[in-house]
Amino acid sequence: MTLLAHRPLPQSAAQDAPWSSVPQDASPAAEAISVRLLRHHTKNALQRVLAEVSKVRGLQEARGGQRVMEELERRVMLSVSLSDALFGMTRAPGGMEDRLRSVCETTLELMADPDQVLRLEVTVEGECPPALRGTLLRAAHEMVGNAVKHGLHARLLGHVRVRLLSGAGVTRLVVEDDGWGYAGARDGGEGLGLLRSLAELHEGTMALYRIQDGTRGEMELPHPEG
């Protein structure tokens, strides 16, 4: 079980999405239509997956079958929510604070074991520049996932704190957990390598180290000129 404060993502303009699925020379109208088509197709495909599973003969009557179906549906919907917050796959993403909170909440619930009780705290201060938002959302997804997968592995209770601080020409993303603590592996694994690559896109830095009661990951990105 995960203790979260669920809040629906508000609808907003599609241009806030940090990606483009059409050629660079396409008109704004063509790009908007393409994004709408992608969302519509993704939503229909996921609904079809759930419908096909529900038609399996005897699954609901089988021992544990109903639980399997409910768990599958829950995780599919969590994946949809995460994709929306990161990329706007089935609806236009909302503001940065709502997107960050949704990414962190969904990642925590998606990665946690059913018996775990994990608390999440998300704090946003200042105005994050639009050019950095996509990178920071992807980083938050990876950092929170690592906190659950590694720091809180096999622990019944845990606490994850996420802070996004913008000001004085820099934005800092900090994720802390009260788990087992970072062991300080030489390369940090593939996840840390991906985080460092994300930081390098904006000439920023990424660090992961042990603190007194767990692990802290910190990404720092300078604000783009202008």
Side-chain angles (χ1 to χ4, degrees), residues 20-39:
S20 176
S21 57
V22 295
Q24 294 183 356
D25 58 352
S27 67
E31 181 174 356
I33 292 173
S34 296
V35 171
R36 288 174 57 193
L37 286 171
L38 177 59
R39 291 179 184 138

Side-chain angles (χ1 to χ4, degrees), residues 6-171:
H6 292 289
R7 297 193 300 173
L9 283 176
Q11 300 279 347
S12 67
Q15 59 264 29
D16 190 43
W19 50 274
S20 176
S21 57
V22 295
Q24 294 183 356
D25 58 352
S27 67
E31 181 174 356
I33 292 173
S34 296
V35 171
R36 288 174 57 193
L37 286 171
L38 177 59
R39 291 179 184 138
H40 182 68
H41 167 74
T42 303
K43 181 168 62 177
N44 286 345
L46 292 171
Q47 289 175 340
R48 189 62 183 173
V49 168
L50 295 176
E52 289 299 316
V53 172
S54 67
K55 292 193 300 184
V56 176
R57 183 175 300 176
L59 180 60
Q60 296 192 46
E61 291 76 21
R63 183 178 181 181
Q66 183 65 33
R67 185 189 63 81
V68 171
M69 290 181 58
E70 291 174 354
E71 183 65 14
L72 174 62
E73 180 175 6
R74 185 180 75 89
R75 293 192 179 272
V76 166
M77 297 312 296
L78 286 171
S79 296
V80 171
S81 178
L82 181 59
S83 296
D84 280 338
L86 286 171
F87 309 111
M89 291 299 291
T90 68
R91 63 181 178 180
M96 182 60 181
E97 182 172 356
D98 283 318
R99 293 173 69 188
L100 178 64
R101 189 176 301 276
S102 181
V103 165
C104 296
E105 289 179 350
T106 307
T107 302
L108 193 72
E109 189 167 356
L110 189 62
M111 297 294 293
D113 291 332
D115 296 332
Q116 285 184 301
V117 179
L118 305 181
R119 294 185 296 122
L120 174 68
E121 178 184 345
V122 180
T123 303
V124 177
E125 298 180 10
E127 184 67 21
C128 177
L132 302 180
R133 293 175 186 177
T135 295
L136 290 166
L137 289 168
R138 291 162 176 79
H141 167 54
E142 181 66 26
M143 292 164 73
V144 172
N146 283 340
V148 179
K149 181 180 178 181
H150 300 295
L152 300 173
H153 173 67
R155 296 182 70 117
L156 292 178
L157 302 176
H159 186 192
V160 179
R161 296 174 293 275
V162 180
R163 290 176 290 160
L164 183 66
L165 312 172
S166 296
V170 67
T171 290

Side-chain angles (χ1 to χ4, degrees), residues 146-223:
N146 283 340
V148 179
K149 181 180 178 181
H150 300 295
L152 300 173
H153 173 67
R155 296 182 70 117
L156 292 178
L157 302 176
H159 186 192
V160 179
R161 296 174 293 275
V162 180
R163 290 176 290 160
L164 183 66
L165 312 172
S166 296
V170 67
T171 290
R172 184 178 295 107
L173 173 67
V174 181
V175 177
E176 298 179 347
D177 68 74
D178 59 354
W180 301 108
Y182 176 52
R186 179 175 299 178
D187 58 2
E190 182 180 10
L192 184 56
L194 289 171
L195 288 167
R196 285 172 174 160
S197 295
L198 284 172
E200 290 171 359
L201 291 175
H202 302 277
E203 299 182 351
T205 60
M206 174 66 208
L208 184 68
Y209 46 91
R210 188 165 190 156
I211 55 178
Q212 185 174 1
D213 59 347
T215 302
R216 175 186 294 152
E218 186 169 326
M219 177 176 287
E220 187 172 292
L221 304 181
H223 291 179

